[in-house]
Amino acid sequence: MCGIVAYIGQKEAYPILIKGLQRLEYRGYDSAGVALFNDGNLNILKRKGKVNDLLQFSKDKNTAGNIGMGHTRWATHGVPNNTNAHPHPSGDGDLAIIHNGIIENYEPLKKALKNKGHIFTSDTDTEVLVHLIEEVQRETKTDIAEAVRLALSQVIGAYAIVVLDQKDPTRLVAARKASPLVIGIGKDDFYLASDATPIIEYTKNVVYLNDEEIAVVDLKNGLEIKTIANEPQVPVIQEIHMEVERLEKGGYDHYMLKEIYEQPRTIADCMRGRIDSKNNRIYLGGIMEHKKRFQNAKRIIIVACGTSWHSGLIAEYLIEELARIPVEVEYASEFRYRNPIVGEGDIVIALSQSGETADTLAALEIAKKRGAMIYGIVNVVGSSIARLTDAGSYIHAGPEIGVASTKAFTGQVTLLTMMALNLAHERGTISESEYQKLIIELENVPNKIKELLANNEENSKIKYIASVFQNAENALYLGRGYNFPIALEGALKLKEISYIHAEGYPAAEMKHGPIALIDENMPVVVVATNHSAYEKILSNIQEVKARKGRVVAIVEQGDVHIKNIADFVIEIPKTAEPLTPLLAVIPLQLLSYHIAVMRECNVDQPRNLAKSVTVE
Ligand code: G6P
């Protein structure tokens, strides 16, 4: 996590850095800081808290300079405070560094540096790294780029760094390993950042730095890249297409709300070009190019974290039901450390909004080493997972800024539904009529979500339910089949942004534990949109009511039975059962959003969380 941004050129660096940091705040917001080089001096300003706190603090300070770097932190080593905030200077004050990642061997390095007389003021691993670079520079009498390279060869861990040496102020040195770094190439200037969002206003031309590469951006000599092993590399310049407007709130109070309302469009964007409406066919490029491998797959293993893991669970139901291929869904963090049985014939699919989640990336690397085909379903174009995989599909949801994932989730589920249908058709496990029916239904989903979001009656009901339960301390979410993962996702959304403890459970499992928690104060949200298990869900609701629990049920329009027993019902438009997750999740997103707003929580930047988890 952590966001880094740097600039070197003719413009004033400070406004570019601040704007960049605001865009990168989704990566962490424990502290923020900048280092600016001006008039022979390196000036570091940093503050605990958000970028706005830094702005306030810097109001009456000197922020001039055409070279600089900025950092927004998600704390790993050392509590969030002013001292642990980045940038960190070297002992002699000549160097400044910003860092995203973790230096795992920082303790022995720190000990050795202390023995050589280095004094540390922060608790961070990053300060150790900048002292190490300083020490290497002193011992080897090399320039800053070579000193960074030599220092990094002693480092174990993950990093994206930018280093500035005030003795050599016409260049910046950057490096990456397992944390992302993009270089923007302007007319006569350069931009460095954790992702392309701080860069797009200024240039479309970018270079994605690869693992274990070092880049030097020099006002005289341009861009040079080499590996840490000292092999020169030819920079590959790519053009990026991103609209600045899609990064702004566009009139909504919060990014999360904007992203919830964007879903009719983002789901349509995800399907665009992949469904042939005339002939009712699905064509997913990534799958068709590797048709044989998919057709003969022994098994599909899905690795993911957080909300993406919930999409994976839905895919398990979809792919097994429709395409009859065995699917396993794994937490990437568990998969990577448990010596998994995986090899040729397996297809490992990584689901990730950011494409940068450290555990998911590591899980893929293991699967690749063991001979499995690796496939990525990601949102961020050019991200590390997208570049590592053998094949894949983008979900095209556009930038998701709210830390709680919404449109990326429905994008993933849409893509996975298309994948299940595509595979089922290729493998002959679905009848032509069922295939066609589901495609037509899928194409109608964006309009149905539009209808749902525009339904004032249902929306005021959701707000009213939010007001009733805003002070709840616990909540239970239940669902079955395709909608069990929706119960998990609904509970996660609530706890992430409103800090109410919530648990998702398969409805029938309730009687093996959670039922003991039910009393007249306990809200129980039941996703009751299944057709096949309707009677079963009805009984589960009766069981909750018999214990005086308060039931909020998500039902399909026209439902009569559940309406009579639940305390509150939210209606969603009717659709085919495998597609109900796409609709049922929307009211749950809105419910947590409104509860969080009523509790005055920071919806877009919930405490302790970050959107891109680049540490394990
Ligand atoms: C973090 C985010 C979640 C996200 C998870 C996985 O925890 O807060 O919203 O679901 O990481 O991220 P990914 O980018 O791999 O989908």
Side-chain angles (χ1 to χ4, degrees), residues 1 26 304-309 351-358 360 377 385 400 402-406 408 412 489 492-493 496 606 609-613:
M1 8 260 266
Y26 72 86
C305 304
T307 287
S308 297
W309 185 77
L351 295 177
S352 176
Q353 185 287 128
S354 61
E356 301 294 348
T357 302
T360 311
I377 296 182
I385 292 179
E400 191 181 63
V403 164
S405 183
T406 52
Q412 288 168 341
E489 177 58 11
L492 178 62
K493 285 284 89 74
E496 273 182 314
L609 295 179
K611 188 146 191 77
S612 186
V613 184

PDB file of all heavy atoms in Angstrom, residues 1 26 304-309 351-358 360 377 385 400 402-406 408 412 489 492-493 496 606 609-613, ligand 1:
ATOM      1  N   MET A   1       0.835  -1.168   0.000  1.00  0.00           N
ATOM      2  CA  MET A   1       0.000   0.000   0.000  1.00  0.00           C
ATOM      3  C   MET A   1       0.885   1.239   0.000  1.00  0.00           C
ATOM      4  O   MET A   1       2.021   1.129  -0.377  1.00  0.00           O
ATOM      5  CB  MET A   1      -0.935   0.010   1.198  1.00  0.00           C
ATOM      6  CG  MET A   1      -0.625  -1.084   2.156  1.00  0.00           C
ATOM      7  SD  MET A   1      -1.676  -2.455   1.983  1.00  0.00           S
ATOM      8  CE  MET A   1      -2.903  -2.131   3.148  1.00  0.00           C
ATOM      9  N   TYR A  26      -6.376   6.510  -1.852  1.00  0.00           N
ATOM     10  CA  TYR A  26      -7.021   5.212  -1.674  1.00  0.00           C
ATOM     11  C   TYR A  26      -6.010   4.163  -1.203  1.00  0.00           C
ATOM     12  O   TYR A  26      -6.364   3.127  -0.678  1.00  0.00           O
ATOM     13  CB  TYR A  26      -7.703   4.761  -2.978  1.00  0.00           C
ATOM     14  CG  TYR A  26      -6.735   4.342  -4.060  1.00  0.00           C
ATOM     15  CD1 TYR A  26      -6.243   3.045  -4.118  1.00  0.00           C
ATOM     16  CD2 TYR A  26      -6.309   5.246  -5.028  1.00  0.00           C
ATOM     17  CE1 TYR A  26      -5.343   2.656  -5.103  1.00  0.00           C
ATOM     18  CE2 TYR A  26      -5.413   4.869  -6.015  1.00  0.00           C
ATOM     19  CZ  TYR A  26      -4.933   3.578  -6.045  1.00  0.00           C
ATOM     20  OH  TYR A  26      -4.033   3.200  -7.002  1.00  0.00           O
ATOM     21  N   ALA A 304      -7.912 -15.055  -4.665  1.00  0.00           N
ATOM     22  CA  ALA A 304      -8.314 -13.653  -4.527  1.00  0.00           C
ATOM     23  C   ALA A 304      -8.330 -13.280  -3.047  1.00  0.00           C
ATOM     24  O   ALA A 304      -8.146 -14.137  -2.176  1.00  0.00           O
ATOM     25  CB  ALA A 304      -9.708 -13.448  -5.130  1.00  0.00           C
ATOM     26  N   CYS A 305      -8.580 -11.997  -2.780  1.00  0.00           N
ATOM     27  CA  CYS A 305      -8.700 -11.504  -1.399  1.00  0.00           C
ATOM     28  C   CYS A 305      -9.925 -10.590  -1.312  1.00  0.00           C
ATOM     29  O   CYS A 305     -10.339 -10.006  -2.307  1.00  0.00           O
ATOM     30  CB  CYS A 305      -7.488 -10.647  -1.014  1.00  0.00           C
ATOM     31  SG  CYS A 305      -5.920 -11.467  -1.223  1.00  0.00           S
ATOM     32  N   GLY A 306     -10.432 -10.436  -0.118  1.00  0.00           N
ATOM     33  CA  GLY A 306     -11.482  -9.453   0.163  1.00  0.00           C
ATOM     34  C   GLY A 306     -12.712  -9.645  -0.694  1.00  0.00           C
ATOM     35  O   GLY A 306     -13.197 -10.771  -0.909  1.00  0.00           O
ATOM     36  N   THR A 307     -13.220  -8.532  -1.192  1.00  0.00           N
ATOM     37  CA  THR A 307     -14.420  -8.566  -2.024  1.00  0.00           C
ATOM     38  C   THR A 307     -14.211  -9.437  -3.266  1.00  0.00           C
ATOM     39  O   THR A 307     -15.129 -10.140  -3.704  1.00  0.00           O
ATOM     40  CB  THR A 307     -14.797  -7.122  -2.415  1.00  0.00           C
ATOM     41  OG1 THR A 307     -15.324  -6.488  -1.250  1.00  0.00           O
ATOM     42  CG2 THR A 307     -15.829  -7.073  -3.512  1.00  0.00           C
ATOM     43  N   SER A 308     -13.016  -9.402  -3.816  1.00  0.00           N
ATOM     44  CA  SER A 308     -12.748 -10.211  -5.019  1.00  0.00           C
ATOM     45  C   SER A 308     -12.920 -11.699  -4.719  1.00  0.00           C
ATOM     46  O   SER A 308     -13.333 -12.473  -5.582  1.00  0.00           O
ATOM     47  CB  SER A 308     -11.328  -9.945  -5.537  1.00  0.00           C
ATOM     48  OG  SER A 308     -11.213  -8.608  -5.922  1.00  0.00           O
ATOM     49  N   TRP A 309     -12.596 -12.085  -3.496  1.00  0.00           N
ATOM     50  CA  TRP A 309     -12.773 -13.492  -3.106  1.00  0.00           C
ATOM     51  C   TRP A 309     -14.270 -13.855  -3.129  1.00  0.00           C
ATOM     52  O   TRP A 309     -14.654 -14.951  -3.504  1.00  0.00           O
ATOM     53  CB  TRP A 309     -12.159 -13.687  -1.708  1.00  0.00           C
ATOM     54  CG  TRP A 309     -12.170 -15.099  -1.223  1.00  0.00           C
ATOM     55  CD1 TRP A 309     -11.332 -16.109  -1.606  1.00  0.00           C
ATOM     56  CD2 TRP A 309     -13.053 -15.664  -0.241  1.00  0.00           C
ATOM     57  NE1 TRP A 309     -11.643 -17.259  -0.921  1.00  0.00           N
ATOM     58  CE2 TRP A 309     -12.689 -17.023  -0.070  1.00  0.00           C
ATOM     59  CE3 TRP A 309     -14.108 -15.165   0.523  1.00  0.00           C
ATOM     60  CZ2 TRP A 309     -13.344 -17.871   0.810  1.00  0.00           C
ATOM     61  CZ3 TRP A 309     -14.764 -16.012   1.405  1.00  0.00           C
ATOM     62  CH2 TRP A 309     -14.380 -17.353   1.546  1.00  0.00           C
ATOM     63  N   LEU A 351      -8.453 -13.024  -9.266  1.00  0.00           N
ATOM     64  CA  LEU A 351      -9.428 -11.936  -9.342  1.00  0.00           C
ATOM     65  C   LEU A 351      -8.885 -10.777  -8.525  1.00  0.00           C
ATOM     66  O   LEU A 351      -8.557 -10.958  -7.345  1.00  0.00           O
ATOM     67  CB  LEU A 351     -10.755 -12.359  -8.720  1.00  0.00           C
ATOM     68  CG  LEU A 351     -11.523 -13.478  -9.400  1.00  0.00           C
ATOM     69  CD1 LEU A 351     -12.777 -13.805  -8.602  1.00  0.00           C
ATOM     70  CD2 LEU A 351     -11.908 -13.052 -10.801  1.00  0.00           C
ATOM     71  N   SER A 352      -8.803  -9.618  -9.138  1.00  0.00           N
ATOM     72  CA  SER A 352      -8.271  -8.477  -8.384  1.00  0.00           C
ATOM     73  C   SER A 352      -8.680  -7.172  -9.045  1.00  0.00           C
ATOM     74  O   SER A 352      -8.443  -6.992 -10.235  1.00  0.00           O
ATOM     75  CB  SER A 352      -6.746  -8.569  -8.326  1.00  0.00           C
ATOM     76  OG  SER A 352      -6.210  -7.450  -7.689  1.00  0.00           O
ATOM     77  N   GLN A 353      -9.287  -6.300  -8.263  1.00  0.00           N
ATOM     78  CA  GLN A 353      -9.620  -4.978  -8.791  1.00  0.00           C
ATOM     79  C   GLN A 353      -8.336  -4.247  -9.161  1.00  0.00           C
ATOM     80  O   GLN A 353      -8.154  -3.817 -10.282  1.00  0.00           O
ATOM     81  CB  GLN A 353     -10.414  -4.194  -7.737  1.00  0.00           C
ATOM     82  CG  GLN A 353     -10.955  -2.844  -8.161  1.00  0.00           C
ATOM     83  CD  GLN A 353      -9.939  -1.740  -8.303  1.00  0.00           C
ATOM     84  OE1 GLN A 353      -9.896  -1.084  -9.362  1.00  0.00           O
ATOM     85  NE2 GLN A 353      -9.105  -1.526  -7.331  1.00  0.00           N
ATOM     86  N   SER A 354      -7.434  -4.135  -8.174  1.00  0.00           N
ATOM     87  CA  SER A 354      -6.234  -3.318  -8.353  1.00  0.00           C
ATOM     88  C   SER A 354      -5.203  -3.985  -9.249  1.00  0.00           C
ATOM     89  O   SER A 354      -4.412  -3.309  -9.903  1.00  0.00           O
ATOM     90  CB  SER A 354      -5.584  -3.054  -6.999  1.00  0.00           C
ATOM     91  OG  SER A 354      -5.202  -4.289  -6.402  1.00  0.00           O
ATOM     92  N   GLY A 355      -5.196  -5.308  -9.237  1.00  0.00           N
ATOM     93  CA  GLY A 355      -4.138  -6.031  -9.964  1.00  0.00           C
ATOM     94  C   GLY A 355      -2.803  -5.948  -9.248  1.00  0.00           C
ATOM     95  O   GLY A 355      -1.762  -6.292  -9.812  1.00  0.00           O
ATOM     96  N   GLU A 356      -2.816  -5.485  -8.001  1.00  0.00           N
ATOM     97  CA  GLU A 356      -1.561  -5.289  -7.280  1.00  0.00           C
ATOM     98  C   GLU A 356      -1.531  -5.999  -5.941  1.00  0.00           C
ATOM     99  O   GLU A 356      -0.532  -5.902  -5.230  1.00  0.00           O
ATOM    100  CB  GLU A 356      -1.310  -3.788  -7.011  1.00  0.00           C
ATOM    101  CG  GLU A 356      -1.231  -2.903  -8.239  1.00  0.00           C
ATOM    102  CD  GLU A 356      -0.017  -3.210  -9.114  1.00  0.00           C
ATOM    103  OE1 GLU A 356       0.884  -3.946  -8.672  1.00  0.00           O
ATOM    104  OE2 GLU A 356       0.010  -2.720 -10.257  1.00  0.00           O
ATOM    105  N   THR A 357      -2.589  -6.676  -5.540  1.00  0.00           N
ATOM    106  CA  THR A 357      -2.636  -7.271  -4.201  1.00  0.00           C
ATOM    107  C   THR A 357      -1.487  -8.277  -4.046  1.00  0.00           C
ATOM    108  O   THR A 357      -1.371  -9.236  -4.818  1.00  0.00           O
ATOM    109  CB  THR A 357      -4.003  -7.939  -3.986  1.00  0.00           C
ATOM    110  OG1 THR A 357      -4.981  -6.927  -4.175  1.00  0.00           O
ATOM    111  CG2 THR A 357      -4.138  -8.499  -2.587  1.00  0.00           C
ATOM    112  N   ALA A 358      -0.655  -8.036  -3.041  1.00  0.00           N
ATOM    113  CA  ALA A 358       0.600  -8.793  -2.900  1.00  0.00           C
ATOM    114  C   ALA A 358       0.344 -10.294  -2.781  1.00  0.00           C
ATOM    115  O   ALA A 358       1.031 -11.094  -3.425  1.00  0.00           O
ATOM    116  CB  ALA A 358       1.370  -8.291  -1.693  1.00  0.00           C
ATOM    117  N   THR A 360      -2.219 -12.072  -3.801  1.00  0.00           N
ATOM    118  CA  THR A 360      -2.764 -12.646  -5.039  1.00  0.00           C
ATOM    119  C   THR A 360      -1.649 -12.813  -6.078  1.00  0.00           C
ATOM    120  O   THR A 360      -1.552 -13.831  -6.772  1.00  0.00           O
ATOM    121  CB  THR A 360      -3.897 -11.749  -5.576  1.00  0.00           C
ATOM    122  OG1 THR A 360      -4.787 -11.461  -4.500  1.00  0.00           O
ATOM    123  CG2 THR A 360      -4.657 -12.412  -6.701  1.00  0.00           C
ATOM    124  N   ILE A 377      -8.255 -11.680 -13.980  1.00  0.00           N
ATOM    125  CA  ILE A 377      -9.457 -10.862 -14.195  1.00  0.00           C
ATOM    126  C   ILE A 377      -9.264  -9.631 -13.325  1.00  0.00           C
ATOM    127  O   ILE A 377      -9.370  -9.698 -12.093  1.00  0.00           O
ATOM    128  CB  ILE A 377     -10.736 -11.642 -13.840  1.00  0.00           C
ATOM    129  CG1 ILE A 377     -10.852 -12.822 -14.811  1.00  0.00           C
ATOM    130  CG2 ILE A 377     -11.971 -10.736 -13.925  1.00  0.00           C
ATOM    131  CD1 ILE A 377     -12.082 -13.678 -14.629  1.00  0.00           C
ATOM    132  N   ILE A 385      -0.622  -7.821 -11.953  1.00  0.00           N
ATOM    133  CA  ILE A 385      -1.247  -9.122 -12.244  1.00  0.00           C
ATOM    134  C   ILE A 385      -1.553  -9.222 -13.737  1.00  0.00           C
ATOM    135  O   ILE A 385      -1.309 -10.251 -14.366  1.00  0.00           O
ATOM    136  CB  ILE A 385      -2.512  -9.335 -11.381  1.00  0.00           C
ATOM    137  CG1 ILE A 385      -2.092  -9.497  -9.920  1.00  0.00           C
ATOM    138  CG2 ILE A 385      -3.354 -10.523 -11.865  1.00  0.00           C
ATOM    139  CD1 ILE A 385      -3.208  -9.682  -8.922  1.00  0.00           C
ATOM    140  N   GLU A 400     -11.806   2.863  -9.632  1.00  0.00           N
ATOM    141  CA  GLU A 400     -12.646   2.739  -8.430  1.00  0.00           C
ATOM    142  C   GLU A 400     -11.857   3.379  -7.291  1.00  0.00           C
ATOM    143  O   GLU A 400     -10.764   2.937  -6.950  1.00  0.00           O
ATOM    144  CB  GLU A 400     -12.944   1.266  -8.129  1.00  0.00           C
ATOM    145  CG  GLU A 400     -14.017   1.097  -7.074  1.00  0.00           C
ATOM    146  CD  GLU A 400     -14.288  -0.369  -6.748  1.00  0.00           C
ATOM    147  OE1 GLU A 400     -13.357  -1.050  -6.255  1.00  0.00           O
ATOM    148  OE2 GLU A 400     -15.402  -0.843  -6.985  1.00  0.00           O
ATOM    149  N   GLY A 402     -13.442   4.697  -4.104  1.00  0.00           N
ATOM    150  CA  GLY A 402     -13.951   4.335  -2.773  1.00  0.00           C
ATOM    151  C   GLY A 402     -13.242   3.063  -2.332  1.00  0.00           C
ATOM    152  O   GLY A 402     -13.095   2.125  -3.122  1.00  0.00           O
ATOM    153  N   VAL A 403     -12.790   3.052  -1.076  1.00  0.00           N
ATOM    154  CA  VAL A 403     -12.034   1.885  -0.625  1.00  0.00           C
ATOM    155  C   VAL A 403     -12.915   0.629  -0.629  1.00  0.00           C
ATOM    156  O   VAL A 403     -12.465  -0.462  -0.969  1.00  0.00           O
ATOM    157  CB  VAL A 403     -11.397   2.162   0.760  1.00  0.00           C
ATOM    158  CG1 VAL A 403     -10.944   0.877   1.431  1.00  0.00           C
ATOM    159  CG2 VAL A 403     -10.202   3.094   0.585  1.00  0.00           C
ATOM    160  N   ALA A 404     -14.186   0.784  -0.277  1.00  0.00           N
ATOM    161  CA  ALA A 404     -15.087  -0.366  -0.317  1.00  0.00           C
ATOM    162  C   ALA A 404     -15.479  -0.624  -1.780  1.00  0.00           C
ATOM    163  O   ALA A 404     -16.035   0.243  -2.449  1.00  0.00           O
ATOM    164  CB  ALA A 404     -16.324  -0.084   0.518  1.00  0.00           C
ATOM    165  N   SER A 405     -15.185  -1.811  -2.240  1.00  0.00           N
ATOM    166  CA  SER A 405     -15.399  -2.110  -3.661  1.00  0.00           C
ATOM    167  C   SER A 405     -16.883  -2.315  -3.985  1.00  0.00           C
ATOM    168  O   SER A 405     -17.599  -3.000  -3.257  1.00  0.00           O
ATOM    169  CB  SER A 405     -14.619  -3.378  -3.996  1.00  0.00           C
ATOM    170  OG  SER A 405     -14.733  -3.661  -5.362  1.00  0.00           O
ATOM    171  N   THR A 406     -17.342  -1.693  -5.045  1.00  0.00           N
ATOM    172  CA  THR A 406     -18.746  -1.866  -5.460  1.00  0.00           C
ATOM    173  C   THR A 406     -18.801  -2.219  -6.948  1.00  0.00           C
ATOM    174  O   THR A 406     -19.100  -3.348  -7.319  1.00  0.00           O
ATOM    175  CB  THR A 406     -19.553  -0.568  -5.203  1.00  0.00           C
ATOM    176  OG1 THR A 406     -18.852   0.536  -5.795  1.00  0.00           O
ATOM    177  CG2 THR A 406     -19.772  -0.331  -3.725  1.00  0.00           C
ATOM    178  N   ALA A 408     -16.423  -2.635  -9.035  1.00  0.00           N
ATOM    179  CA  ALA A 408     -15.463  -3.660  -9.458  1.00  0.00           C
ATOM    180  C   ALA A 408     -16.029  -5.044  -9.148  1.00  0.00           C
ATOM    181  O   ALA A 408     -15.839  -5.992  -9.916  1.00  0.00           O
ATOM    182  CB  ALA A 408     -14.123  -3.458  -8.769  1.00  0.00           C
ATOM    183  N   GLN A 412     -16.636  -7.868 -11.877  1.00  0.00           N
ATOM    184  CA  GLN A 412     -16.046  -9.221 -11.807  1.00  0.00           C
ATOM    185  C   GLN A 412     -17.126 -10.292 -11.977  1.00  0.00           C
ATOM    186  O   GLN A 412     -16.950 -11.257 -12.724  1.00  0.00           O
ATOM    187  CB  GLN A 412     -15.376  -9.426 -10.439  1.00  0.00           C
ATOM    188  CG  GLN A 412     -14.101  -8.638 -10.266  1.00  0.00           C
ATOM    189  CD  GLN A 412     -13.616  -8.627  -8.820  1.00  0.00           C
ATOM    190  OE1 GLN A 412     -14.368  -8.894  -7.892  1.00  0.00           O
ATOM    191  NE2 GLN A 412     -12.351  -8.291  -8.625  1.00  0.00           N
ATOM    192  N   GLU A 489     -20.690 -10.602   1.197  1.00  0.00           N
ATOM    193  CA  GLU A 489     -20.306  -9.289   0.673  1.00  0.00           C
ATOM    194  C   GLU A 489     -21.087  -8.175   1.373  1.00  0.00           C
ATOM    195  O   GLU A 489     -20.530  -7.122   1.708  1.00  0.00           O
ATOM    196  CB  GLU A 489     -20.530  -9.263  -0.855  1.00  0.00           C
ATOM    197  CG  GLU A 489     -20.251  -7.946  -1.553  1.00  0.00           C
ATOM    198  CD  GLU A 489     -18.832  -7.408  -1.388  1.00  0.00           C
ATOM    199  OE1 GLU A 489     -17.946  -8.125  -0.892  1.00  0.00           O
ATOM    200  OE2 GLU A 489     -18.634  -6.234  -1.729  1.00  0.00           O
ATOM    201  N   LEU A 492     -19.527  -7.716   4.731  1.00  0.00           N
ATOM    202  CA  LEU A 492     -18.218  -7.047   4.617  1.00  0.00           C
ATOM    203  C   LEU A 492     -18.389  -5.550   4.362  1.00  0.00           C
ATOM    204  O   LEU A 492     -17.715  -4.716   4.975  1.00  0.00           O
ATOM    205  CB  LEU A 492     -17.394  -7.693   3.488  1.00  0.00           C
ATOM    206  CG  LEU A 492     -16.020  -7.072   3.207  1.00  0.00           C
ATOM    207  CD1 LEU A 492     -15.098  -7.189   4.420  1.00  0.00           C
ATOM    208  CD2 LEU A 492     -15.346  -7.724   2.004  1.00  0.00           C
ATOM    209  N   LYS A 493     -19.333  -5.215   3.476  1.00  0.00           N
ATOM    210  CA  LYS A 493     -19.564  -3.793   3.166  1.00  0.00           C
ATOM    211  C   LYS A 493     -19.920  -3.038   4.436  1.00  0.00           C
ATOM    212  O   LYS A 493     -19.436  -1.952   4.685  1.00  0.00           O
ATOM    213  CB  LYS A 493     -20.699  -3.588   2.155  1.00  0.00           C
ATOM    214  CG  LYS A 493     -20.412  -3.900   0.714  1.00  0.00           C
ATOM    215  CD  LYS A 493     -19.580  -2.884  -0.018  1.00  0.00           C
ATOM    216  CE  LYS A 493     -18.116  -3.132   0.073  1.00  0.00           C
ATOM    217  NZ  LYS A 493     -17.466  -4.160  -0.633  1.00  0.00           N
ATOM    218  N   GLU A 496     -16.852  -2.832   6.905  1.00  0.00           N
ATOM    219  CA  GLU A 496     -15.773  -1.985   6.372  1.00  0.00           C
ATOM    220  C   GLU A 496     -16.031  -0.501   6.608  1.00  0.00           C
ATOM    221  O   GLU A 496     -15.138   0.224   7.005  1.00  0.00           O
ATOM    222  CB  GLU A 496     -15.696  -2.158   4.839  1.00  0.00           C
ATOM    223  CG  GLU A 496     -14.850  -3.272   4.340  1.00  0.00           C
ATOM    224  CD  GLU A 496     -14.826  -3.305   2.807  1.00  0.00           C
ATOM    225  OE1 GLU A 496     -15.895  -3.190   2.151  1.00  0.00           O
ATOM    226  OE2 GLU A 496     -13.739  -3.438   2.261  1.00  0.00           O
ATOM    227  N   PRO A 606     -12.353   4.442   4.953  1.00  0.00           N
ATOM    228  CA  PRO A 606     -12.581   3.886   6.284  1.00  0.00           C
ATOM    229  C   PRO A 606     -11.266   3.659   7.040  1.00  0.00           C
ATOM    230  O   PRO A 606     -10.233   3.415   6.412  1.00  0.00           O
ATOM    231  CB  PRO A 606     -13.277   2.555   6.007  1.00  0.00           C
ATOM    232  CG  PRO A 606     -13.286   2.357   4.553  1.00  0.00           C
ATOM    233  CD  PRO A 606     -12.796   3.561   3.865  1.00  0.00           C
ATOM    234  N   LEU A 609      -8.057   0.847   6.654  1.00  0.00           N
ATOM    235  CA  LEU A 609      -8.105   0.086   5.396  1.00  0.00           C
ATOM    236  C   LEU A 609      -7.339   0.814   4.284  1.00  0.00           C
ATOM    237  O   LEU A 609      -7.025   1.985   4.407  1.00  0.00           O
ATOM    238  CB  LEU A 609      -9.547  -0.096   4.941  1.00  0.00           C
ATOM    239  CG  LEU A 609     -10.443  -0.933   5.843  1.00  0.00           C
ATOM    240  CD1 LEU A 609     -11.847  -1.001   5.267  1.00  0.00           C
ATOM    241  CD2 LEU A 609      -9.887  -2.336   5.999  1.00  0.00           C
ATOM    242  N   ALA A 610      -7.071   0.096   3.238  1.00  0.00           N
ATOM    243  CA  ALA A 610      -6.515   0.709   2.028  1.00  0.00           C
ATOM    244  C   ALA A 610      -7.059  -0.077   0.857  1.00  0.00           C
ATOM    245  O   ALA A 610      -7.496  -1.213   1.011  1.00  0.00           O
ATOM    246  CB  ALA A 610      -5.004   0.645   2.037  1.00  0.00           C
ATOM    247  N   LYS A 611      -7.041   0.553  -0.279  1.00  0.00           N
ATOM    248  CA  LYS A 611      -7.658  -0.083  -1.434  1.00  0.00           C
ATOM    249  C   LYS A 611      -6.723  -1.053  -2.127  1.00  0.00           C
ATOM    250  O   LYS A 611      -7.142  -2.039  -2.702  1.00  0.00           O
ATOM    251  CB  LYS A 611      -8.100   1.004  -2.410  1.00  0.00           C
ATOM    252  CG  LYS A 611      -8.909   0.441  -3.523  1.00  0.00           C
ATOM    253  CD  LYS A 611      -9.969   1.374  -3.983  1.00  0.00           C
ATOM    254  CE  LYS A 611     -10.916   0.667  -4.896  1.00  0.00           C
ATOM    255  NZ  LYS A 611     -11.854  -0.186  -4.170  1.00  0.00           N
ATOM    256  N   SER A 612      -5.456  -0.707  -2.114  1.00  0.00           N
ATOM    257  CA  SER A 612      -4.515  -1.537  -2.836  1.00  0.00           C
ATOM    258  C   SER A 612      -3.542  -2.097  -1.809  1.00  0.00           C
ATOM    259  O   SER A 612      -2.765  -1.360  -1.216  1.00  0.00           O
ATOM    260  CB  SER A 612      -3.793  -0.657  -3.856  1.00  0.00           C
ATOM    261  OG  SER A 612      -2.991  -1.435  -4.661  1.00  0.00           O
ATOM    262  N   VAL A 613      -3.634  -3.401  -1.571  1.00  0.00           N
ATOM    263  CA  VAL A 613      -2.896  -3.978  -0.450  1.00  0.00           C
ATOM    264  C   VAL A 613      -1.619  -4.632  -0.968  1.00  0.00           C
ATOM    265  O   VAL A 613      -1.597  -5.819  -1.262  1.00  0.00           O
ATOM    266  CB  VAL A 613      -3.791  -4.963   0.323  1.00  0.00           C
ATOM    267  CG1 VAL A 613      -3.069  -5.498   1.545  1.00  0.00           C
ATOM    268  CG2 VAL A 613      -5.061  -4.247   0.776  1.00  0.00           C
TER     269      VAL A 613
HETATM  270  C1  G6P B   1      -8.592  -4.449   0.040  1.00  0.00           C
HETATM  271  C2  G6P B   1      -9.749  -3.579  -0.408  1.00  0.00           C
HETATM  272  C3  G6P B   1     -10.931  -4.456  -0.821  1.00  0.00           C
HETATM  273  C4  G6P B   1     -10.490  -5.444  -1.889  1.00  0.00           C
HETATM  274  C5  G6P B   1      -9.278  -6.267  -1.438  1.00  0.00           C
HETATM  275  C6  G6P B   1      -8.693  -7.075  -2.581  1.00  0.00           C
HETATM  276  O1  G6P B   1      -8.915  -5.093   1.216  1.00  0.00           O
HETATM  277  O2  G6P B   1     -10.132  -2.704   0.631  1.00  0.00           O
HETATM  278  O3  G6P B   1     -11.967  -3.645  -1.324  1.00  0.00           O
HETATM  279  O4  G6P B   1     -11.547  -6.298  -2.177  1.00  0.00           O
HETATM  280  O5  G6P B   1      -8.242  -5.400  -0.975  1.00  0.00           O
HETATM  281  O6  G6P B   1      -8.185  -6.191  -3.544  1.00  0.00           O
HETATM  282  P1  G6P B   1      -8.068  -6.472  -5.090  1.00  0.00           P
HETATM  283  O7  G6P B   1      -7.543  -5.191  -5.670  1.00  0.00           O
HETATM  284  O8  G6P B   1      -7.080  -7.596  -5.234  1.00  0.00           O
HETATM  285  O9  G6P B   1      -9.402  -6.825  -5.602  1.00  0.00           O
END
